[in-house]
Amino acid sequence: MWRRLLVPRRLGAPGQPSRRFIAMPQGEEAVVVGSLIASNVAVYGAWQYAESKDRQTYRFMVDNFMVSRDSALSRPHTVVTAAFSHSSGYHLLGNMMTLFFFGPTCISALGARTFLSMYFTGAVVSNVSFVATAKSSRDQALGASGAVNAAVAYSIAAEPFRMIIVLAEFLPIPLPAVLYGTIFIGKDVAAMFGTELNLPFGLGRKFTSGDVAHAAHVGGAAVGLAYFFLSRGRRQPWRRLR
C-alpha cells in the first residue's frame, strides 16, 4: 500500500506566497476544502449511526448514497451523493487527506467555482464510468475517490515536474509528478484488465482484488486532465469568496 505527500510548492500566479508543507488552507481554499471534508465526515457519521441503530435509516442510506446501474436510472442523484459515502474510516481518511493536500493548489489556480465544477463533474463521470463497466446492474459503489482524483490529475498536469513524496511500503520515494501520475493512472487502467504494473516497492500494485472501482478512478482522473487542457491558454485569476 502506498500514499502520496506533497513537497512544499504551490500552483498559482507568479508572486503569490508559496504553500508550506502541511500548511492549513486559507481564504476560499479553507471554506471549500473544509466544507467538502465536513460533508463527507457527516455522511460517514450517518452511515455509522444507521448501521448500528436504525434499519430504516440504513435502507435510506443504501438507496440514496450508493450508486449502481439500477439506482442511476431510478434515482439519478446517487451519481453525486455516492461520492460523499465511504466504506470505512480508513477509506474516508485516505480520500480526505488527499483532498486536503491537492485541493487547495487547484483552488488557487482555478478559483472556487471552477474547482467545484471540476470536483462534482469528476464525481459524476467516475460514477457513470463505474455504472457503465459494472458486471451487474446491482453492483454498488461509493466513495469520493473519483472526485478527488480529478484534483490530483489536474495538479499533476499543471506542475508535471513538481516532486511528490510517495510512501511505498513505508519507504519515502521522491518522484516527479509526471512519473507518479503515469503510475497513478496506469495501475487502475491495468487493474481494469485484471492485471497490475510490475514495479518495485509495490508502486503498481492494485489496492485490493475486486473491491475497488478502478474505472471510476480513471474516469475521475480523466476529468481533471480535461479541465487542465481546456483551461490552458486562459489565464485563471486568483479569486476569493465574497
Side-chain angles (χ1 to χ4, degrees):
M1 193 65 182
W2 53 291
R3 306 186 182 101
R4 58 264 185 182
L5 299 175
L6 288 177
V7 165
R9 192 172 171 190
R10 179 181 187 168
L11 295 173
Q16 293 296 330
S18 296
R19 172 180 298 283
R20 297 300 175 187
F21 184 62
I22 314 185
M24 293 297 294
Q26 298 179 357
E28 68 178 3
E29 301 166 7
V31 173
V32 173
V33 172
S35 296
L36 288 173
I37 291 175
S39 298
N40 278 271
V41 170
V43 172
Y44 182 72
W47 273 107
Q48 297 307 299
Y49 170 79
E51 287 179 354
S52 62
K53 295 186 177 180
D54 191 333
R55 286 182 175 272
Q56 186 175 356
T57 302
Y58 180 75
R59 187 69 257 169
F60 174 84
M61 297 298 292
V62 170
D63 288 343
N64 292 281
F65 284 86
M66 295 186 75
V67 67
S68 66
R69 196 174 304 153
D70 287 344
S71 77
L73 294 173
S74 61
R75 299 180 301 280
H77 62 273
T78 57
V79 299
V80 175
T81 55
F84 288 88
S85 294
H86 291 84
S87 60
S88 67
Y90 181 81
H91 187 202
L92 173 68
L93 179 63
N95 276 334
M96 294 305 99
M97 284 183 62
T98 304
L99 177 61
F100 177 86
F101 284 121
F102 284 90
T105 60
C106 296
I107 296 168
S108 297
L110 291 171
R113 289 185 181 87
T114 304
F115 170 78
L116 286 171
S117 171
M118 180 179 72
Y119 186 89
F120 283 103
T121 301
V124 171
V125 170
S126 66
N127 284 327
V128 170
S129 298
F130 165 76
V131 166
T133 57
K135 294 180 180 179
S136 168
S137 63
R138 295 185 177 182
D139 287 348
Q140 294 178 302
L142 75 175
S145 298
V148 172
N149 279 7
V152 175
Y154 180 93
S155 177
I156 288 171
E159 285 194 308
F161 300 108
R162 174 180 47 176
M163 297 304 293
I164 293 177
I165 305 300
V166 176
L167 298 182
E169 305 294 350
F170 301 102
L171 179 67
I173 301 176
L175 293 175
V178 64
L179 177 57
Y180 165 74
T182 301
I183 299 171
F184 171 72
I185 297 173
K187 65 182 176 55
D188 281 309
V189 173
M192 288 172 62
F193 293 95
T195 185
E196 59 186 43
L197 302 180
N198 187 19
L199 298 174
F201 307 109
L203 288 177
R205 187 177 305 158
K206 293 180 288 185
F207 291 120
T208 62
S209 55
D211 296 331
V212 176
H214 298 287
H217 290 180
V218 174
V223 168
L225 293 176
Y227 264 75
F228 171 74
F229 287 111
L230 289 172
S231 66
R232 288 183 71 185
R234 290 195 305 226
R235 192 183 185 109
Q236 297 293 334
W238 285 66
R239 305 169 206 172
R240 290 287 177 263
L241 293 178
R242 291 182 176 86

